[in-house]
Amino acid sequence: MAEVDLAVIGAGLAGCSLIGRLQQLGSDLNIALIEAGRGPGGRTATRRKRDQSGWLLNHGAPGFNLSESMPEGMDSLLKPLRARGVLQQDKRAVLSLDVEAGLSPATSPDAWPNGGWWHGVPSMASICEALLDTAGTAQLSRQFETRVRWLEHRKDHWLLENEDRTWSLRAKRLVLSGTLLAHPRSLKMLAWDDVPLRTAIAEGVDDDLDKALSLLQHSQAEVRWNLMVDLGVLALNAEELPAQIWLNDAAKARWKVERLVLQPQSVGRWGLVVHGLDSGQAITPESQGHLLAQEQQRLVELLPKLLQALPVVSAALNQATPLGVMRWGASRPLNNPLPQELQWCPTSAVGFCGDWIAGTGFGRAEGAVSSGVNLAEQLHADR
Ligand SMILES: Cc1cc2nc3c(=O)[nH]c(=O)nc-3n(C[C@H](O)[C@H](O)[C@H](O)COP(=O)(O)OP(=O)(O)OC[C@H]3O[C@@H](n4cnc5c(N)ncnc54)[C@H](O)[C@@H]3O)c2cc1C
């Protein structure tokens, strides 16, 4: 069985920032990155189409904001990405939509955050890919399409296994960049009958871990239902349509939609992502298919109304193809951030990073990057 110094579960911004920063610091740790998805990105993921090269639809976060003055480590990590053009300021317009579906320039802090919008080029997933590139291949092995289900803590190592135990890995240290293995939500959503990290380390063995798990138990997250649409070819340049249209509070309450995201694709095609808000219906493996179909129908039916102020897009709806709904079960954490001092639990050799860690950017992409950088610096200092 393979054995590594560090196993990082999750290839989103936090896990990739952790690995990228460790590499920048000259770490000699032998690292394995394990990710349930097909590639890096997590909630900054990009959907491709098998039959259409050049189709890159950002169906999670379409961009994010960064504080104008950021910690040195984070700046060092992101600087090469800016220099390569992988991380760019998004200059396209952001509009606000009112309850009559009228459009005006966006002014709310969510829609127009301090420092403006940054995005990945050519796609949001490119940011995570570029962070991993800096890590090279010698000390990093990548394991995609593998969801860790079982965790066991033995005397001097962790044992990780997938659901049917056909894949396993030994690691001296473990980092979780998502909350799935540590939060009770997995029980309902995946019909698991235990919280894997709690099962691995019994209560009373590690005070720090007990504190972390008890805080996490009470944390809540927002659910999003994102409808993806291929609008076909539009005779418009990228700058002629807004990048995002945020519904104001009254419009959100009326239509249960947060925003519309318009993305130019190759050869004149356009993609649209509708960020739908949750109605609170519980989801189980059995109800999932039906709920996704129901939400797709609801959002598709709303589009002519929501897009009436953009005649070219509105007309394109006749030829548009819905590409399905992606349900983000925990699109953003809302409360109970994990204090930074609990990011590393030395007794159990387990650590945490992600947008659920306390600090600037909690609940946002900036917090995810910053938590990965912090943990990398801590691990490097403790080596
Ligand atoms: C629809 C949407 C819109 C958003 N809009 C914005 C925005 O406008 N601005 C902003 O700043 N932020 C936004 N966000 C939030 C932003 O995307 C996140 O804060 C950030 O991407 C989180 O990165 P992360 O690495 O912490 O987590 P993630 O990206 O979730 O990464 C965790 C990874 O771990 C993997 N994983 C978890 N458990 C396991 C397991 N057991 N085995 C294997 N792999 C596992 C997951 O598959 C995932 O890829 C948005 C998010 C969504 C979903």
Side-chain angles (χ1 to χ4, degrees):
M1 186 188 304
E3 173 159 344
V4 293
D5 298 321
L6 173 66
V8 178
I9 302 182
L13 283 174
C16 296
S17 297
L18 165 74
I19 292 169
R21 185 66 186 143
L22 276 171
Q23 175 67 17
Q24 273 191 337
L25 293 168
S27 157
D28 56 3
L29 292 177
N30 183 343
I31 304 173
L33 172 64
I34 309 105
E35 165 58 51
R38 280 191 209 140
R43 276 171 278 157
T44 53
T46 303
R47 195 56 80 89
R48 290 162 198 271
K49 272 194 195 177
R50 278 206 191 95
D51 58 345
Q52 214 172 297
S53 73
W55 178 268
L56 298 167
L57 192 66
N58 300 320
H59 64 307
F64 51 81
N65 69 305
L66 292 168
S67 300
E68 271 161 39
S69 88
M70 56 180 95
E72 201 188 315
M74 193 163 152
D75 195 39
S76 307
L77 182 71
L78 298 181
K79 209 179 247 166
L81 271 62
R82 285 193 294 249
R84 282 170 55 188
V86 172
L87 181 61
Q88 290 186 19
Q89 205 129 35
D90 191 351
K91 298 275 181 9
R92 289 171 61 214
V94 179
L95 300 181
S96 168
L97 185 136
D98 63 30
V99 77
E100 303 299 332
L103 296 176
S104 57
T107 49
S108 75
D110 275 348
W112 197 247
N114 268 342
W117 286 92
W118 290 84
H119 68 154
V121 178
S123 72
M124 287 301 287
S126 310
I127 301 174
C128 284
E129 284 157 12
L131 287 166
L132 293 181
D133 283 351
T134 60
T137 47
Q139 279 148 245
L140 175 66
S141 61
R142 306 159 196 226
Q143 177 79 32
F144 293 113
E145 297 187 78
T146 304
R147 185 164 67 204
V148 178
R149 163 64 180 97
W150 308 103
L151 293 175
E152 207 179 308
H153 190 228
R154 298 190 174 162
K155 209 165 136 242
D156 59 352
H157 69 267
W158 282 91
L159 178 67
L160 285 62
E161 290 175 294
N162 65 349
E163 184 85 47
D164 59 9
R165 302 188 197 264
T166 51
W167 170 92
S168 61
L169 177 78
R170 279 163 63 120
K172 294 197 180 100
R173 300 172 210 184
L174 172 66
V175 168
L176 308 188
S177 76
T179 55
L180 188 69
L181 295 164
H183 191 283
R185 80 187 159 93
S186 37
L187 308 187
K188 197 161 45 166
M189 205 171 67
L190 296 166
W192 292 357
D193 56 11
D194 70 327
V195 174
L197 187 58
R198 183 71 286 174
T199 305
I201 310 269
E203 205 171 340
V205 173
D206 181 342
D207 283 352
D208 289 339
L209 185 64
D210 288 350
K211 276 188 223 154
L213 288 178
S214 118
L215 248 177
L216 201 55
Q217 205 178 356
H218 302 290
S219 77
Q220 295 163 303
E222 259 176 3
V223 176
R224 282 281 180 285
W225 300 80
N226 281 14
L227 168 71
M228 296 161 278
V229 181
D230 179 351
L231 290 173
V233 176
L234 305 183
L236 291 170
N237 294 322
E239 305 72 41
E240 291 179 77
L241 285 180
Q244 300 187 46
I245 301 172
W246 282 70
L247 279 71
N248 70 15
D249 288 345
K252 254 186 226 160
R254 176 167 180 194
W255 287 305
K256 293 234 161 292
V257 167
E258 182 200 50
R259 58 183 135 157
L260 306 164
V261 177
L262 286 153
Q263 295 169 38
Q265 303 290 327
S266 60
V267 292
R269 290 193 97 80
W270 281 79
L272 168 69
V273 182
V274 185
H275 291 227
L277 298 169
D278 192 38
S279 59
Q281 288 192 66
I283 191 159
T284 60
E286 294 73 41
S287 67
Q288 183 160 329
H290 163 71
L291 291 176
L292 289 173
Q294 183 179 294
E295 194 57 16
Q296 169 155 326
Q297 190 181 348
R298 181 184 88 81
L299 294 172
V300 165
E301 283 171 9
L302 277 181
L303 285 177
K305 177 88 190 156
L306 296 182
L307 289 165
Q308 60 184 293
L310 294 175
V312 179
V313 183
S314 193
L317 291 175
N318 299 324
Q319 63 185 34
T321 316
L323 302 172
V325 167
M326 166 79 193
R327 181 183 184 271
W328 294 101
S331 73
R332 281 192 229 180
L334 294 170
N335 48 29
N336 293 305
L338 189 78
Q340 286 175 18
E341 57 273 21
L342 292 178
Q343 262 193 276
W344 181 246
C345 302
T347 308
S348 313
V350 64
F352 308 103
C353 58
D355 61 351
W356 44 289
I357 310 295
T360 306
F362 167 73
R364 295 188 287 107
E366 178 174 17
V369 175
S370 141
S371 72
V373 169
N374 286 345
L375 185 58
E377 290 175 354
Q378 201 172 328
L379 286 175
H380 190 66
D382 292 351
R383 73 195 182 279

Short mmCIF file of all heavy atoms in Angstrom, two decimals, residues 215-256:
data_model
loop_
_atom_site.label_atom_id
_atom_site.label_comp_id
_atom_site.label_asym_id
_atom_site.label_seq_id
_atom_site.Cartn_x
_atom_site.Cartn_y
_atom_site.Cartn_z
N LEU A 215 -17.84 22.30 17.21
CA LEU A 215 -18.20 23.56 16.53
C LEU A 215 -18.83 23.28 15.16
O LEU A 215 -19.86 23.83 14.80
CB LEU A 215 -16.94 24.36 16.28
CG LEU A 215 -16.75 25.65 17.03
CD1 LEU A 215 -15.40 26.24 16.71
CD2 LEU A 215 -17.85 26.64 16.71
N LEU A 216 -18.18 22.39 14.45
CA LEU A 216 -18.62 22.09 13.08
C LEU A 216 -20.03 21.49 13.04
O LEU A 216 -20.82 21.77 12.13
CB LEU A 216 -17.62 21.09 12.49
CG LEU A 216 -17.56 20.98 10.99
CD1 LEU A 216 -17.32 22.34 10.37
CD2 LEU A 216 -16.44 20.04 10.59
N GLN A 217 -20.30 20.72 14.08
CA GLN A 217 -21.62 20.08 14.17
C GLN A 217 -22.76 21.10 14.06
O GLN A 217 -23.83 20.79 13.58
CB GLN A 217 -21.68 19.42 15.54
CG GLN A 217 -22.61 18.29 15.62
CD GLN A 217 -22.56 17.67 17.02
OE1 GLN A 217 -21.77 18.05 17.88
NE2 GLN A 217 -23.43 16.72 17.23
N HIS A 218 -22.51 22.31 14.56
CA HIS A 218 -23.58 23.31 14.58
C HIS A 218 -23.51 24.26 13.39
O HIS A 218 -24.29 25.20 13.30
CB HIS A 218 -23.52 24.12 15.88
CG HIS A 218 -23.65 23.24 17.09
ND1 HIS A 218 -24.83 22.61 17.42
CD2 HIS A 218 -22.75 22.83 18.00
CE1 HIS A 218 -24.65 21.87 18.49
NE2 HIS A 218 -23.39 21.98 18.86
N SER A 219 -22.54 24.06 12.50
CA SER A 219 -22.40 25.02 11.41
C SER A 219 -23.41 24.70 10.29
O SER A 219 -23.72 23.54 10.03
CB SER A 219 -20.98 25.03 10.86
OG SER A 219 -20.79 23.92 10.06
N GLN A 220 -23.91 25.76 9.67
CA GLN A 220 -24.89 25.58 8.60
C GLN A 220 -24.33 26.14 7.29
O GLN A 220 -23.43 27.00 7.33
CB GLN A 220 -26.17 26.34 8.94
CG GLN A 220 -26.86 25.79 10.16
CD GLN A 220 -27.86 26.78 10.71
OE1 GLN A 220 -27.51 27.91 11.05
NE2 GLN A 220 -29.12 26.36 10.80
N ALA A 221 -24.87 25.68 6.20
CA ALA A 221 -24.38 26.15 4.90
C ALA A 221 -25.55 26.41 3.97
O ALA A 221 -26.63 25.83 4.14
CB ALA A 221 -23.46 25.10 4.29
N GLU A 222 -25.32 27.29 3.01
CA GLU A 222 -26.37 27.61 2.02
C GLU A 222 -26.37 26.57 0.91
O GLU A 222 -25.31 26.13 0.47
CB GLU A 222 -26.02 28.94 1.35
CG GLU A 222 -26.79 30.11 1.89
CD GLU A 222 -26.31 31.41 1.25
OE1 GLU A 222 -25.43 31.38 0.37
OE2 GLU A 222 -26.82 32.43 1.66
N VAL A 223 -27.57 26.26 0.45
CA VAL A 223 -27.71 25.31 -0.67
C VAL A 223 -27.99 26.11 -1.95
O VAL A 223 -28.68 27.13 -1.90
CB VAL A 223 -28.89 24.35 -0.39
CG1 VAL A 223 -29.14 23.42 -1.57
CG2 VAL A 223 -28.63 23.55 0.88
N ARG A 224 -27.43 25.70 -3.06
CA ARG A 224 -27.70 26.35 -4.35
C ARG A 224 -28.08 25.31 -5.38
O ARG A 224 -27.53 24.22 -5.39
CB ARG A 224 -26.43 27.04 -4.87
CG ARG A 224 -26.10 28.34 -4.24
CD ARG A 224 -26.96 29.45 -4.82
NE ARG A 224 -26.61 30.70 -4.19
CZ ARG A 224 -26.96 31.06 -2.97
NH1 ARG A 224 -27.69 30.25 -2.25
NH2 ARG A 224 -26.59 32.20 -2.45
N TRP A 225 -29.00 25.68 -6.26
CA TRP A 225 -29.41 24.81 -7.37
C TRP A 225 -29.04 25.56 -8.65
O TRP A 225 -29.75 26.48 -9.04
CB TRP A 225 -30.91 24.58 -7.33
CG TRP A 225 -31.41 23.92 -6.09
CD1 TRP A 225 -31.63 24.53 -4.88
CD2 TRP A 225 -31.76 22.55 -5.91
NE1 TRP A 225 -32.10 23.61 -3.97
CE2 TRP A 225 -32.19 22.39 -4.58
CE3 TRP A 225 -31.77 21.43 -6.75
CZ2 TRP A 225 -32.62 21.17 -4.06
CZ3 TRP A 225 -32.20 20.21 -6.23
CH2 TRP A 225 -32.61 20.09 -4.90
N ASN A 226 -27.95 25.20 -9.27
CA ASN A 226 -27.48 25.96 -10.43
C ASN A 226 -27.88 25.29 -11.74
O ASN A 226 -27.44 24.18 -12.05
CB ASN A 226 -25.96 26.15 -10.36
CG ASN A 226 -25.59 27.27 -9.40
OD1 ASN A 226 -26.41 27.72 -8.61
ND2 ASN A 226 -24.34 27.72 -9.46
N LEU A 227 -28.70 26.03 -12.49
CA LEU A 227 -29.11 25.53 -13.82
C LEU A 227 -28.09 25.99 -14.85
O LEU A 227 -27.74 27.17 -14.91
CB LEU A 227 -30.49 26.10 -14.18
CG LEU A 227 -30.93 25.90 -15.64
CD1 LEU A 227 -31.26 24.43 -15.92
CD2 LEU A 227 -32.14 26.77 -15.97
N MET A 228 -27.62 25.04 -15.67
CA MET A 228 -26.67 25.39 -16.74
C MET A 228 -27.41 25.35 -18.08
O MET A 228 -28.20 24.44 -18.33
CB MET A 228 -25.53 24.37 -16.77
CG MET A 228 -24.71 24.40 -15.49
SD MET A 228 -23.74 22.88 -15.27
CE MET A 228 -24.94 21.78 -14.58
N VAL A 229 -27.15 26.36 -18.93
CA VAL A 229 -27.86 26.45 -20.22
C VAL A 229 -26.86 26.79 -21.32
O VAL A 229 -26.00 27.66 -21.14
CB VAL A 229 -28.93 27.57 -20.16
CG1 VAL A 229 -29.70 27.66 -21.47
CG2 VAL A 229 -29.90 27.36 -19.01
N ASP A 230 -27.02 26.10 -22.45
CA ASP A 230 -26.27 26.47 -23.67
C ASP A 230 -27.19 27.37 -24.48
O ASP A 230 -28.23 26.92 -24.97
CB ASP A 230 -25.92 25.18 -24.44
CG ASP A 230 -25.16 25.46 -25.72
OD1 ASP A 230 -25.03 26.65 -26.10
OD2 ASP A 230 -24.70 24.49 -26.36
N LEU A 231 -26.81 28.65 -24.61
CA LEU A 231 -27.67 29.61 -25.32
C LEU A 231 -27.47 29.56 -26.83
O LEU A 231 -28.15 30.27 -27.57
CB LEU A 231 -27.38 31.03 -24.83
CG LEU A 231 -27.81 31.38 -23.40
CD1 LEU A 231 -27.29 32.77 -23.01
CD2 LEU A 231 -29.33 31.35 -23.26
N GLY A 232 -26.48 28.79 -27.27
CA GLY A 232 -26.18 28.76 -28.71
C GLY A 232 -25.33 29.96 -29.10
O GLY A 232 -24.75 30.64 -28.25
N VAL A 233 -25.28 30.24 -30.42
CA VAL A 233 -24.43 31.33 -30.92
C VAL A 233 -25.21 32.65 -30.86
O VAL A 233 -26.34 32.73 -31.32
CB VAL A 233 -23.98 31.05 -32.37
CG1 VAL A 233 -23.19 32.21 -32.94
CG2 VAL A 233 -23.16 29.76 -32.42
N LEU A 234 -24.59 33.68 -30.28
CA LEU A 234 -25.20 35.02 -30.22
C LEU A 234 -24.26 35.98 -30.93
O LEU A 234 -23.04 35.92 -30.73
CB LEU A 234 -25.35 35.52 -28.77
CG LEU A 234 -26.11 34.65 -27.77
CD1 LEU A 234 -26.22 35.35 -26.42
CD2 LEU A 234 -27.49 34.33 -28.29
N ALA A 235 -24.83 36.89 -31.69
CA ALA A 235 -23.99 37.83 -32.43
C ALA A 235 -23.60 38.99 -31.51
O ALA A 235 -24.02 40.13 -31.71
CB ALA A 235 -24.75 38.33 -33.66
N LEU A 236 -22.84 38.67 -30.49
CA LEU A 236 -22.44 39.69 -29.51
C LEU A 236 -21.00 39.46 -29.07
O LEU A 236 -20.56 38.30 -28.95
CB LEU A 236 -23.32 39.56 -28.25
CG LEU A 236 -24.80 39.94 -28.35
CD1 LEU A 236 -25.51 39.52 -27.08
CD2 LEU A 236 -24.95 41.44 -28.55
N ASN A 237 -20.28 40.55 -28.79
CA ASN A 237 -18.95 40.40 -28.21
C ASN A 237 -19.10 40.24 -26.70
O ASN A 237 -20.11 40.62 -26.11
CB ASN A 237 -18.11 41.66 -28.46
CG ASN A 237 -17.84 41.81 -29.94
OD1 ASN A 237 -17.63 40.81 -30.63
ND2 ASN A 237 -17.88 43.05 -30.41
N ALA A 238 -18.01 39.73 -26.07
CA ALA A 238 -18.05 39.45 -24.63
C ALA A 238 -18.49 40.67 -23.82
O ALA A 238 -19.26 40.56 -22.87
CB ALA A 238 -16.69 38.97 -24.16
N GLU A 239 -18.02 41.87 -24.23
CA GLU A 239 -18.29 43.07 -23.43
C GLU A 239 -19.72 43.55 -23.57
O GLU A 239 -20.17 44.43 -22.83
CB GLU A 239 -17.36 44.23 -23.82
CG GLU A 239 -15.87 43.93 -23.77
CD GLU A 239 -15.45 43.00 -24.90
OE1 GLU A 239 -15.95 43.18 -26.03
OE2 GLU A 239 -14.65 42.06 -24.63
N GLU A 240 -20.44 43.01 -24.56
CA GLU A 240 -21.79 43.52 -24.80
C GLU A 240 -22.84 42.95 -23.84
O GLU A 240 -23.97 43.41 -23.82
CB GLU A 240 -22.21 43.25 -26.25
CG GLU A 240 -21.41 44.10 -27.23
CD GLU A 240 -21.82 43.81 -28.65
OE1 GLU A 240 -22.88 44.28 -29.08
OE2 GLU A 240 -21.06 43.07 -29.34
N LEU A 241 -22.46 41.93 -23.09
CA LEU A 241 -23.39 41.40 -22.09
C LEU A 241 -22.74 41.49 -20.72
O LEU A 241 -21.52 41.35 -20.60
CB LEU A 241 -23.73 39.93 -22.39
CG LEU A 241 -24.69 39.66 -23.54
CD1 LEU A 241 -24.91 38.16 -23.70
CD2 LEU A 241 -26.03 40.37 -23.32
N PRO A 242 -23.55 41.69 -19.66
CA PRO A 242 -22.95 41.72 -18.32
C PRO A 242 -22.42 40.35 -17.93
O PRO A 242 -22.92 39.33 -18.41
CB PRO A 242 -24.15 42.10 -17.43
CG PRO A 242 -25.35 41.69 -18.20
CD PRO A 242 -24.99 41.84 -19.66
N ALA A 243 -21.39 40.34 -17.07
CA ALA A 243 -20.86 39.06 -16.59
C ALA A 243 -21.85 38.42 -15.62
O ALA A 243 -22.07 37.22 -15.64
CB ALA A 243 -19.52 39.28 -15.90
N GLN A 244 -22.44 39.27 -14.77
CA GLN A 244 -23.38 38.75 -13.77
C GLN A 244 -24.55 39.72 -13.64
O GLN A 244 -24.38 40.94 -13.75
CB GLN A 244 -22.70 38.64 -12.41
CG GLN A 244 -21.50 37.73 -12.38
CD GLN A 244 -20.97 37.53 -10.95
OE1 GLN A 244 -21.71 37.29 -10.03
NE2 GLN A 244 -19.65 37.64 -10.80
N ILE A 245 -25.71 39.15 -13.33
CA ILE A 245 -26.90 39.96 -13.02
C ILE A 245 -27.40 39.48 -11.66
O ILE A 245 -27.84 38.32 -11.51
CB ILE A 245 -28.01 39.75 -14.07
CG1 ILE A 245 -27.48 40.14 -15.46
CG2 ILE A 245 -29.24 40.56 -13.70
CD1 ILE A 245 -28.45 39.80 -16.59
N TRP A 246 -27.27 40.34 -10.67
CA TRP A 246 -27.67 39.97 -9.30
C TRP A 246 -29.09 40.46 -9.05
O TRP A 246 -29.40 41.64 -9.28
CB TRP A 246 -26.74 40.62 -8.28
CG TRP A 246 -25.44 39.90 -8.15
CD1 TRP A 246 -24.44 39.85 -9.06
CD2 TRP A 246 -25.02 39.10 -7.04
NE1 TRP A 246 -23.41 39.08 -8.60
CE2 TRP A 246 -23.74 38.60 -7.35
CE3 TRP A 246 -25.59 38.76 -5.81
CZ2 TRP A 246 -23.01 37.79 -6.48
CZ3 TRP A 246 -24.87 37.95 -4.94
CH2 TRP A 246 -23.59 37.46 -5.28
N LEU A 247 -29.95 39.59 -8.54
CA LEU A 247 -31.30 40.01 -8.20
C LEU A 247 -31.26 40.80 -6.89
O LEU A 247 -30.53 40.41 -5.96
CB LEU A 247 -32.22 38.79 -8.05
CG LEU A 247 -32.74 38.24 -9.40
CD1 LEU A 247 -31.63 37.56 -10.19
CD2 LEU A 247 -33.90 37.28 -9.18
N ASN A 248 -32.01 41.91 -6.83
CA ASN A 248 -32.04 42.64 -5.56
C ASN A 248 -32.93 41.86 -4.57
O ASN A 248 -33.51 40.83 -4.93
CB ASN A 248 -32.48 44.10 -5.75
CG ASN A 248 -33.95 44.24 -6.13
OD1 ASN A 248 -34.73 43.30 -6.00
ND2 ASN A 248 -34.31 45.42 -6.61
N ASP A 249 -33.01 42.32 -3.33
CA ASP A 249 -33.67 41.51 -2.30
C ASP A 249 -35.11 41.16 -2.64
O ASP A 249 -35.55 40.02 -2.46
CB ASP A 249 -33.61 42.22 -0.94
CG ASP A 249 -32.18 42.20 -0.39
OD1 ASP A 249 -31.35 41.41 -0.92
OD2 ASP A 249 -31.90 42.97 0.55
N ALA A 250 -35.84 42.16 -3.16
CA ALA A 250 -37.25 41.90 -3.48
C ALA A 250 -37.36 40.89 -4.63
O ALA A 250 -38.20 39.98 -4.61
CB ALA A 250 -37.94 43.21 -3.86
N ALA A 251 -36.48 41.02 -5.61
CA ALA A 251 -36.50 40.10 -6.76
C ALA A 251 -36.09 38.68 -6.32
O ALA A 251 -36.67 37.68 -6.77
CB ALA A 251 -35.58 40.62 -7.85
N LYS A 252 -35.11 38.61 -5.42
CA LYS A 252 -34.68 37.30 -4.89
C LYS A 252 -35.85 36.63 -4.18
O LYS A 252 -36.11 35.44 -4.36
CB LYS A 252 -33.57 37.53 -3.85
CG LYS A 252 -32.21 37.16 -4.34
CD LYS A 252 -31.22 37.29 -3.20
CE LYS A 252 -30.01 38.02 -3.68
NZ LYS A 252 -29.19 38.62 -2.67
N ALA A 253 -36.54 37.42 -3.36
CA ALA A 253 -37.66 36.84 -2.60
C ALA A 253 -38.76 36.39 -3.56
O ALA A 253 -39.39 35.37 -3.36
CB ALA A 253 -38.19 37.88 -1.62
N ARG A 254 -38.97 37.12 -4.64
CA ARG A 254 -40.03 36.77 -5.58
C ARG A 254 -39.70 35.52 -6.40
O ARG A 254 -40.55 34.66 -6.59
CB ARG A 254 -40.28 37.96 -6.52
CG ARG A 254 -41.28 37.67 -7.58
CD ARG A 254 -41.77 38.89 -8.30
NE ARG A 254 -42.74 38.52 -9.31
CZ ARG A 254 -43.14 39.30 -10.27
NH1 ARG A 254 -42.67 40.53 -10.34
NH2 ARG A 254 -44.01 38.90 -11.15
N TRP A 255 -38.46 35.46 -6.91
CA TRP A 255 -38.14 34.40 -7.86
C TRP A 255 -37.24 33.29 -7.30
O TRP A 255 -36.93 32.33 -7.99
CB TRP A 255 -37.52 35.01 -9.12
CG TRP A 255 -38.53 35.72 -9.94
CD1 TRP A 255 -39.71 35.21 -10.42
CD2 TRP A 255 -38.48 37.09 -10.38
NE1 TRP A 255 -40.37 36.17 -11.14
CE2 TRP A 255 -39.65 37.33 -11.14
CE3 TRP A 255 -37.57 38.13 -10.22
CZ2 TRP A 255 -39.93 38.56 -11.72
CZ3 TRP A 255 -37.84 39.35 -10.80
CH2 TRP A 255 -39.02 39.57 -11.53
N LYS A 256 -36.76 33.45 -6.07
CA LYS A 256 -35.86 32.45 -5.48
C LYS A 256 -34.65 32.13 -6.39
O LYS A 256 -34.31 30.98 -6.67
CB LYS A 256 -36.61 31.16 -5.13
CG LYS A 256 -37.62 31.30 -4.01
CD LYS A 256 -37.36 30.29 -2.92
CE LYS A 256 -37.96 30.58 -1.58
NZ LYS A 256 -37.42 31.72 -0.88
#
